[in-house]
Amino acid sequence: MQELKSYDTVIDDFISQLKMLKISHRKLARDTKLPNSTVANILHKKTKGATYTNITKIHEYIRDQYMHHDKQHPDKPLPISGYVERPPDFLLQTDKISKAKKMMDEKSFDCIPILIRKGHRIVGRVRHPDVYGGRYKNDQVQIKTIMKDAPPIIPDTTDATVVREMLKKMKWDCIVLQKKDRYVGIITYWNFM
C-alpha cells in the first residue's frame, strides 16, 4: 500500500509545480477563489487556512493546469514529460539490496529501474515490496536476485491520458520515459493522484 506523503512534501510538490507552470501565488489565489493570505500560509507551510478543502482546491487547480497547459490548444493534453520533476535514478543489477533500501527511504521511491551496467539498458525493476519483503537472508544480496521484469519504456512526448490508462490497465509499477536514446524520467500511478 502506498504510504501517504507528508504535508511538507505535498507543499514542496505544489511549489515546484507552480514554478514549472510559472503561476504566481496571487494568480493561484485568484483562480482558486481562496484568500491570498490563505494561499501564502499554505505555501509557507503554516497551519492557518491549511484545511483539507483548501489543499484539495490547490491540488485540483494544479492538476487542471497541467492537463491544459497550452492555452492556445486547451484540448491538447500535456505530454507525460510535464509530470516529471527530476531526472530518473537507477540502480545496477550488481548493487546490494541495502542500497535500494537506502534510496527508497531517502527519496520516497516505490519503484526503481535496474540497469545492466551504468549508462546501458534497463533490465529490470525493484519495488518497495520486493526490497522490504524479506525473501532473502540479508540485504547484502545483489539486486538481480529479487528484481522483476523491466518496466515499459515510452517516448517522453506520449500524452498523459494514454500513460494514465497504461498504468491502470497494465498494473505496472512505473514507466520509464525516453527522449532519443536517453532515459529522462520515471512515472508512477501516484504522479496522477
Side-chain angles (χ1 to χ4, degrees):
M1 185 171 162
Q2 173 71 21
E3 186 177 321
L4 292 175
K5 290 183 178 181
S6 71
Y7 176 72
D8 285 355
T9 306
V10 169
I11 301 306
D12 288 341
D13 288 348
F14 286 171
I15 291 167
S16 65
Q17 292 162 352
L18 290 167
K19 281 181 187 173
M20 189 177 80
L21 292 165
K22 298 181 176 133
I23 296 172
S24 70
H25 294 184
R26 291 191 185 280
K27 178 172 174 36
L28 176 63
R30 186 174 52 249
D31 291 352
T32 57
K33 296 181 176 43
L34 291 171
N36 192 45
S37 60
T38 299
V39 170
N41 283 338
I42 291 170
L43 295 178
H44 288 103
K45 301 178 185 173
K46 296 179 182 173
T47 56
K48 187 173 182 184
T51 64
Y52 175 80
T53 303
N54 291 344
I55 300 284
T56 302
K57 275 186 185 180
I58 292 172
H59 170 73
E60 289 173 352
Y61 172 77
I62 292 171
R63 184 194 63 211
D64 291 345
Q65 291 304 304
Y66 267 128
M67 294 305 293
H68 304 293
H69 71 294
D70 188 342
K71 299 301 179 196
Q72 292 178 341
H73 305 286
D75 295 333
K76 183 179 177 184
L78 178 71
I80 196 62
S81 59
Y83 288 87
V84 176
E85 295 175 21
R86 58 183 175 234
D89 289 291
F90 300 100
L91 290 169
L92 302 178
Q93 65 178 353
T94 54
D95 285 334
K96 307 288 187 226
I97 293 171
S98 58
K99 187 171 181 179
K101 281 184 178 181
K102 184 176 181 186
M103 185 182 284
M104 286 182 170
D105 290 343
E106 289 176 357
K107 300 189 178 189
S108 299
F109 290 162
D110 288 327
C111 182
I112 304 171
I114 308 299
L115 300 173
I116 192 163
R117 285 192 307 274
K118 190 171 184 177
H120 285 74
R121 74 185 194 322
I122 296 173
V123 292
R125 73 190 192 287
V126 289
R127 303 167 307 144
H128 195 276
D130 304 326
V131 170
Y132 286 93
R135 292 188 344 223
Y136 44 86
K137 300 264 186 229
N138 65 51
D139 61 3
Q140 295 307 306
V141 176
Q142 291 185 345
I143 291 286
K144 65 183 174 184
T145 62
I146 63 165
M147 73 181 186
K148 304 290 186 205
D149 293 336
I153 301 168
I154 62 171
D156 73 327
T157 54
T158 306
D159 287 350
T161 50
V162 173
V163 177
R164 181 180 283 117
E165 289 306 308
M166 283 176 69
L167 287 165
K168 282 183 188 174
K169 290 180 181 176
M170 296 170 62
K171 304 296 183 200
W172 285 102
D173 304 306
C174 62
I175 295 175
V176 177
L177 306 184
Q178 187 171 26
K179 184 174 188 175
K180 296 185 180 172
D181 48 352
R182 284 186 24 230
Y183 302 124
V184 294
I186 297 171
I187 294 292
T188 69
Y189 177 77
W190 304 106
N191 291 106
F192 296 107
M193 294 302 282

